[in-house]
Amino acid sequence: MKILGPDLLVFGVDHVPACCEFLIEYGLTPVGVTDQGGRFEAMDGTGVLILSSDDPSLPPALSSGNTIRETIYGVQDAQTLEAVGRELSKDREVRRAADGSLHCTDDLGFAIAFQVTVRKPYAAAATLTNAPGSPPQRGPNQVAVDPDAQIRPRTLSHVVFFVPDAARMEAFYHRLGFRVTDRFTGTGAFMRPEGNADHHALFFIQTPPFMQGCEHFAFHLGGPSDVIQAGSRLVAKGYQSYWGPGRHIFGSNWFWYFNSPMGVHVEYDADMDLHDDAWTPREATIGADASQLFLMQHREKWSPGGPPPA
Amino acid sequence: MSAGTVLCRFDELVDGEARGFDPQKGGQDTLFGVRRGSRLYLYRDLCPHATSPMAWRKDEYLNRRRDRIVCFAHGAQFEIETGRCLLGPCIGQSLQAVAHAIDDRGNVRLV
Ligand code: FES
């Protein structure tokens, strides 16, 4: 089943204007956003939908208070959508919305939906590097750093959930064609859907039931420099860094996590590994040693030799 | 945090709002307070769930109605007066209150 990954994450929040402000600063593009909320899109059309927690169009809230209300997955085509519908109709009610999307709940009660993907083709430059020993990627006079660069999230990368039964989640998404790429022992699995080579579109963290919800989501940026530049801009504006910048081991992606007014972490990531079915999943025990290759904590402006004379 | 450190003047604090403090000048607020009338509720900026700083942006520690403290890492909600977590990942646990006093010049001081 060629599921490509999450197309849209739906949140029901306490403070709609704060969430809208945050997501715009994060770099997403507001589409039809009003003071009631609306959609925030990356370059390929994937995104986040913000609505007030009492909006009647939302699926019910989780009892944990977590603000995630629905994860809408994009699938490759109409045949895949029907195949997903047939599979899930075996043991649960699947509702078809007016726009053709299919809605139900997964085995732990998270609202999920499937639609023919909104992901559209787009072109965006790669970060070019000059590495001695290899042909240069940037020729003479091609300057890499632009302090005013516009940095836009390119595509919705992954979503991570606190779950009371990680094994059950893994088994459920396995039914939909997701593969385990790596695993933290006793915590949960990283999974990628069949239609996406990215190391993970989903990761589960085993927790007590009262914590169930979204832990974080991430959009891919163009490269590590983008992650650090965009994250530094958030820090300079007073946003609260949680973890980063750094580089993960599983997935190899660069990361920087921030607190958000949705009450979930929001991550920038870049340069994630790709996998296919020839890959053998690794296993490790979670902890800073296993989850980060290195961590660079932000500090105030500094230059070698100290500040310039006043 | 040394006793006697002055955080701010009490009358700089906006009634009903929160404010973060960085008494060690480390570039990260480590304390925050919420003023309610003539009282200040002062806590360490350290969520009991994952020992994380809690605001989503400088000084943003409260929900929209300004009647709960929220950890914007994973949404835990706390009672302002007691620091007790009422909902979320650290339900039943509490924020660490920080002893302070308002001196005769109107300064908020750590004690
Ligand atoms: S760190 Fe505060 S709710 Fe998780």
Side-chain angles (χ1 to χ4, degrees):
Chain A
M1 269 179 277
K2 296 261 180 179
I3 295 171
L4 304 177
D7 267 4
L8 188 73
L9 302 175
V10 182
F11 290 91
V13 304
D14 167 56
H15 201 329
V16 169
C19 295
C20 295
E21 197 184 333
F22 176 89
L23 291 168
I24 289 169
E25 290 291 354
Y26 176 76
L28 297 173
T29 304
V31 178
V33 171
T34 67
D35 53 6
Q36 311 299 310
R39 219 169 66 244
F40 295 84
E41 281 187 3
M43 290 171 83
D44 71 342
T46 55
V48 174
L49 176 65
I50 296 294
L51 294 171
S52 173
S53 56
D54 55 8
D55 190 295
S57 70
L58 285 169
L62 294 163
S63 59
S64 62
N66 190 277
T67 57
I68 187 78
R69 291 295 185 93
E70 190 169 42
T71 303
I72 302 178
Y73 292 92
V75 308
Q76 187 169 269
D77 50 30
Q79 290 93 298
T80 309
L81 189 63
E82 294 318 308
V84 169
R86 272 194 308 276
E87 175 61 30
L88 292 175
S89 299
K90 287 178 186 164
D91 59 355
R92 72 204 63 219
E93 193 190 324
V94 178
R95 186 178 56 80
R96 191 180 294 272
D99 65 1
S101 58
L102 301 177
H103 299 253
C104 64
T105 52
D106 70 15
D107 280 357
L108 293 179
F110 285 105
I112 53 172
F114 300 85
Q115 64 186 12
V116 175
T117 189
V118 297
R119 292 169 186 239
K120 56 187 183 216
Y122 64 101
T127 305
L128 303 180
T129 55
N130 288 339
S134 293
Q137 292 180 333
R138 288 192 326 279
N141 310 322
Q142 226 184 313
V143 174
V145 170
D146 174 4
D148 302 318
Q150 224 210 0
I151 300 167
R152 291 185 59 200
R154 298 184 174 197
T155 179
L156 181 49
S157 164
H158 62 271
V159 55
V160 174
F161 295 104
F162 284 146
V163 300
D165 190 340
R168 196 149 165 221
M169 282 299 259
E170 184 182 323
F172 175 78
Y173 286 94
H174 189 74
R175 267 177 74 185
L176 299 176
F178 284 68
R179 278 89 160 127
V180 173
T181 45
D182 284 318
R183 185 191 305 282
F184 280 130
T185 317
T187 298
F190 292 88
M191 299 188 90
R192 68 171 186 87
E194 196 182 340
N196 192 332
D198 271 356
H199 176 269
H200 57 282
L202 276 180
F203 174 53
F204 305 119
I205 301 173
Q206 174 82 36
T207 64
F210 60 82
M211 288 173 59
Q212 183 168 344
C214 173
E215 197 286 325
H216 78 264
F217 62 82
F219 283 80
H220 286 314
L221 299 185
S225 182
D226 278 6
V227 169
I228 295 167
Q229 194 169 358
S232 300
R233 286 175 182 169
L234 289 186
V235 168
K237 288 178 176 157
Y239 290 89
Q240 179 64 59
S241 165
Y242 173 73
W243 184 25
R247 190 166 196 182
H248 285 307
I249 297 178
F250 285 178
S252 300
N253 45 311
W254 295 73
F255 64 84
W256 200 343
Y257 298 77
F258 287 84
N259 287 359
S260 83
M262 289 82 78
V264 306
H265 286 138
V266 179
E267 180 192 1
Y268 286 125
D269 90 347
D271 199 10
M272 185 183 267
D273 292 332
L274 305 180
H275 293 285
D276 63 19
D277 290 343
W279 175 249
T280 307
R282 298 167 291 185
E283 183 151 351
T285 307
I286 201 168
D289 287 352
S291 68
Q292 69 193 28
L293 178 64
F294 49 74
L295 178 69
M296 306 177 280
Q297 220 118 39
H298 181 85
R299 62 184 283 183
E300 290 291 299
K301 264 201 185 3
W302 178 88
S303 63
Chain B
M1 262 167 305
S2 31
T5 304
V6 173
L7 297 182
C8 67
R9 292 186 50 80
F10 183 78
D11 60 14
E12 285 168 25
L13 298 170
V14 181
D15 196 8
E17 296 289 334
R19 160 123 174 235
F21 301 101
D22 178 17
Q24 292 115 318
K25 308 244 183 298
Q28 163 68 55
D29 288 347
T30 52
L31 307 177
F32 73 98
V34 184
R35 177 176 166 185
R36 285 207 148 171
S38 61
R39 296 212 53 175
L40 176 66
Y41 300 96
L42 187 67
Y43 298 103
R44 288 185 69 189
D45 184 3
L46 195 68
C47 178
H49 168 226
T51 59
S52 165
M54 294 166 58
W56 63 269
R57 193 172 59 196
K58 171 80 184 133
D59 300 336
E60 297 283 358
Y61 295 88
L62 299 177
N63 64 350
R64 190 172 194 176
R65 284 171 52 187
R66 302 301 196 231
D67 59 2
R68 293 262 174 101
I69 294 164
V70 178
C71 173
F72 289 97
H74 306 113
Q77 298 183 22
F78 303 85
E79 198 169 48
I80 292 174
E81 292 81 1
T82 62
R84 214 175 130 78
C85 177
L86 303 173
L87 186 67
C90 39
I91 192 161
Q93 295 178 259
S94 291
L95 297 172
Q96 296 173 51
V98 175
H100 63 283
I102 297 161
D103 68 18
D104 48 14
R105 277 179 295 188
N107 290 318
V108 179
R109 262 182 205 281
L110 300 178
V111 295

